[in-house]
Amino acid sequence: MKKNGVLKSKNLKMFFGLFILIFLSPSTIHAQKKKMNILFISVDDMNNDLGVYGHSLVKSPSIDRLASKGMTFEKAYCQMPWCSPSRSSLLTGLRPNKTKVMDLQYHFRQELPDIVTLPQLFKNNGYHVARVGKIYHYGNPGDIGTNSLDDRVSWSVRINPAGLDKTSLEPDVTNYTPQNKGLGASMAYYSDSKGTDQEHTDGKVADEAIRLLKENKNKPFFIAAGFYRPHTPWIAPKKYFDLYNPADITLPVLSEKIQTLYPTHALGSTKPFPNFGLTNKQALECKLAYYAAISFVDSQIGRLLDALEKEGLSNNTIVVFWSDHGYHLGEHGLWFKQSLFEESAKVPMIISVPGIQNQGQYCRKTVELVDIYPTLADLAGLKAPENLDGTSLVSLLKNPKTDWDRPAYTQINRGDVPGHSVRTHLWRYTEWGFGTEGTELYNEETDPKELHNLASDLRYTKVVEQMKQLLMKIHSPGSIPKGKADADAKNRFSE
């Protein structure tokens, strides 16, 4: 009898173990009686120079900590490397060709008045939906404190904090290139020796997001924390600048013939070239300031993660971390975004799901920001709109090595010349003006810095044709609305 009792006990433990394993898998999260919360964290202009992505210098302990509990996507790409078009695509689940957002002025509601956005979907399903800081696009810093056209539809609560960096420091920073008035404060930085983290805007974003977490911890929520850094100008408390030794900062080595190695539109209208005429010393200081801004915003993200744990929300909150696009720091002689090179198109993206078995793992499949919408809807058990361009990543969250052959598409305009790029696991292929203004092909395994354009090499004719066919599935002549991206130098450095 005792033996049977032991056997029953073991069977009972096995049953409950199996129940927990199945119950907490991502595909069945929505089956739980208590809805899963969403903490939606965005950063502005952050590239993949982070510890979790293998960078040996940048200090990002909080983002690395989030990655240790979630899935890090090594090959995640934006749909357009410019703030408003990228954010519009992510939040609608549609590519720029459908949103028609190709610049900083046009709003997708003009074309799609009845569209249900990602936060709106959760709002319509009983979630407390709140935004702090920048999620949709608006001018930075000119329009800080205002609401975007879509705010009233997408969010129940909208909070727009402004710290001393926006109200007093940004207007006073000195530009390294005052002779080029189109640059504004783009290449400026400021090491604040007096202000505290919580006096800066991103510190206030963290404060307000933490308050919302506390006030709404007993109800299902979708809380978005939109941080402004490391967007220019690079302003942060001095202690974050002190994390870096200037002697450790280096710049990419550029070929003297670099401007002859690529189609004209690949490098855009960057003048003076390279590095806008900065001296090496100035460029190195700017790069250090960018890293300081990353570490500053990383610290604020850490405060959010601490609050989740303190409030007992870690086991019931999905955390999504993303940047709207990548960022050049001298690669190809470029700075900022709006290129179709890897540094501009690729973004950091981490998704942490409570109960997932693959915590701390990497997914090396090619994914897109437009995939976030269907993924969160899938995890929460909500019915997403049928016309979304992305695909749920739940299968990859469960098994990062599962079969997956979807490429990633990124686009940008050079005035009236469209640029389109498709990225597979091995190749990047880019066309300017549908090939009439130049093409590019890079082997991302042997040439990850994209220094050797193979598009005209006859040995790769078949690869070019295959990649062209992939590109044509999404981008074909006549399907691309015109935009104002890169019409002049000023656009390149704005939001």
Side-chain angles (χ1 to χ4, degrees):
M1 193 74 172
K2 184 176 180 181
K3 184 176 181 181
N4 289 338
V6 171
L7 183 61
K8 288 181 179 179
S9 176
K10 288 183 177 179
N11 288 340
L12 193 60
K13 288 180 180 179
M14 289 177 62
F15 169 78
F16 278 111
L18 181 62
F19 174 80
I20 291 171
L21 181 63
I22 296 174
F23 190 69
L24 290 179
S25 67
S27 61
T28 56
I29 282 176
H30 56 81
Q32 299 183 56
K33 292 182 179 179
K34 188 175 182 180
K35 294 180 179 179
M36 296 293 289
N37 304 311
I38 309 293
L39 177 58
F40 195 67
I41 302 174
S42 75
V43 288
D44 203 346
D45 284 21
M46 186 181 288
N47 63 19
N48 288 66
D49 288 357
L50 300 166
V52 66
Y53 285 97
H55 201 281
S56 61
L57 182 60
V58 173
K59 296 172 176 58
S60 53
S62 300
I63 296 172
D64 301 347
R65 167 184 162 199
L66 174 62
S68 71
K69 298 181 179 180
M71 182 74 70
T72 300
F73 290 87
E74 283 194 352
K75 294 182 175 67
Y77 296 89
C78 68
Q79 277 47 77
M80 182 177 280
W82 208 11
C83 291
S84 185
S86 176
R87 291 166 183 264
S88 295
S89 282
L90 188 156
L91 292 160
T92 62
L94 303 176
R95 301 186 189 282
N97 293 356
K98 293 182 181 178
T99 66
K100 303 297 191 293
V101 180
M102 298 284 171
D103 54 36
L104 302 183
Q105 288 74 44
Y106 192 86
H107 196 281
F108 59 80
R109 290 282 178 194
Q110 295 173 243
E111 180 76 18
L112 305 165
D114 300 322
I115 193 171
V116 176
T117 64
L118 172 59
Q120 190 178 352
L121 176 70
F122 280 81
K123 181 182 176 184
N124 293 347
N125 282 274
Y127 282 70
H128 179 77
V129 178
R131 170 190 66 75
V132 183
K134 181 181 178 181
I135 298 296
Y136 286 104
H137 166 75
Y138 50 82
N140 180 4
D143 296 330
I144 191 168
T146 65
N147 295 320
S148 76
L149 177 63
D150 199 66
D151 265 354
R152 64 183 182 274
V153 178
S154 289
W155 312 99
S156 302
V157 175
R158 305 176 298 278
I159 302 173
N160 301 294
L164 60 81
D165 53 314
K166 298 291 182 184
T167 58
S168 63
L169 297 181
E170 283 194 6
D172 294 333
V173 293
T174 302
N175 190 348
Y176 259 142
T177 53
Q179 73 278 7
N180 188 340
K181 295 182 180 180
L183 290 178
S186 311
M187 298 297 286
Y189 68 86
Y190 185 82
S191 175
D192 182 12
S193 61
K194 298 180 180 179
T196 65
D197 285 23
Q198 290 170 279
E199 290 177 309
H200 281 245
T201 303
D202 280 347
K204 293 180 178 295
V205 169
D207 284 344
E208 292 294 336
I210 291 169
R211 179 179 63 81
L212 288 171
L213 291 175
K214 292 179 179 179
E215 292 178 355
N216 297 283
K217 64 181 180 180
N218 294 320
K219 64 182 73 168
F221 61 71
F222 182 112
I223 294 176
F227 293 103
Y228 292 87
R229 301 301 174 204
H231 193 285
T232 56
W234 303 297
I235 298 177
K238 181 177 180 296
K239 62 183 178 181
Y240 297 104
F241 284 78
D242 293 342
L243 292 174
Y244 299 97
N245 182 350
D248 294 332
I249 309 294
T250 60
L251 294 174
V253 177
L254 302 177
S255 167
E256 294 181 358
K257 300 180 180 180
I258 186 170
Q259 288 181 287
T260 68
L261 301 179
Y262 306 100
T264 301
H265 296 293
L267 299 178
S269 57
T270 304
K271 296 179 181 180
F273 185 88
N275 300 330
F276 305 109
L278 270 65
T279 66
N280 277 356
K281 179 178 182 296
Q282 291 168 340
L284 289 168
E285 289 176 359
C286 286
K287 189 169 182 177
L288 186 152
Y290 179 79
Y291 288 164
I294 286 181
S295 292
F296 168 54
V297 74
D298 177 84
S299 183
Q300 310 318 305
I301 292 172
R303 294 175 58 208
L304 293 184
L305 301 181
D306 289 343
L308 281 181
E309 294 179 1
K310 183 177 180 181
E311 299 301 322
L313 293 166
S314 295
N315 293 329
N316 196 45
T317 302
I318 298 166
V319 182
V320 182
F321 166 78
W322 56 276
S323 175
D324 47 5
H325 44 69
Y327 204 79
H328 281 287
L329 296 171
E331 300 89 3
H332 306 288
L334 303 177
W335 285 75
F336 310 116
K337 52 259 191 175
Q338 290 193 44
S339 89
L340 294 179
F341 289 115
E342 191 81 351
E343 294 87 1
S344 175
K346 187 164 71 171
V347 299
M349 188 174 90
I350 300 170
I351 300 177
S352 176
V353 182
I356 193 170
Q357 299 177 56
N358 297 307
Q359 290 186 356
Q361 290 198 26
Y362 290 80
C363 178
R364 294 175 172 84
K365 305 295 184 179
T366 304
V367 302
E368 305 176 278
L369 286 182
V370 78
D371 296 329
I372 289 178
Y373 190 156
T375 300
L376 290 181
D378 193 359
L379 288 171
L382 305 181
K383 182 175 176 55
E386 296 180 357
N387 65 333
L388 299 185
D389 286 326
T391 299
S392 172
L393 302 174
V394 167
S395 62
L396 293 176
L397 289 169
K398 294 169 66 176
N399 178 11
K401 296 182 179 180
T402 195
D403 290 341
W404 183 273
D405 61 358
R406 288 178 60 85
Y409 297 89
T410 304
Q411 64 191 95
I412 196 68
N413 292 337
R414 298 286 191 237
D416 292 331
V417 177
H420 304 109
S421 192
V422 58
R423 176 68 154 87
T424 63
H425 179 75
L426 181 59
W427 301 100
R428 173 178 295 284
Y429 175 70
T430 301
E431 289 187 348
W432 297 99
F434 300 101
T436 63
E437 299 288 335
T439 57
E440 301 169 67
L441 177 71
Y442 303 103
N443 184 317
E444 298 293 339
E445 186 174 283
T446 61
D447 183 26
K449 296 185 182 298
E450 299 174 335
L451 300 176
H452 306 286
N453 183 6
L454 304 174
S456 61
D457 190 325
L458 295 179
R459 292 175 297 176
Y460 298 96
T461 301
K462 186 175 181 180
V463 176
V464 168
E465 185 57 34
Q466 291 172 340
M467 295 299 288
K468 185 179 182 67
Q469 291 303 314
L470 271 183
L471 199 60
M472 291 289 287
K473 288 183 178 181
I474 301 296
H475 301 299
S476 58
S479 67
I480 313 301
K482 292 184 178 181
K484 301 177 182 178
D486 204 39
D488 53 43
K490 184 177 180 179
N491 277 338
R492 178 177 287 275
F493 314 121
S494 56
E495 287 296 281

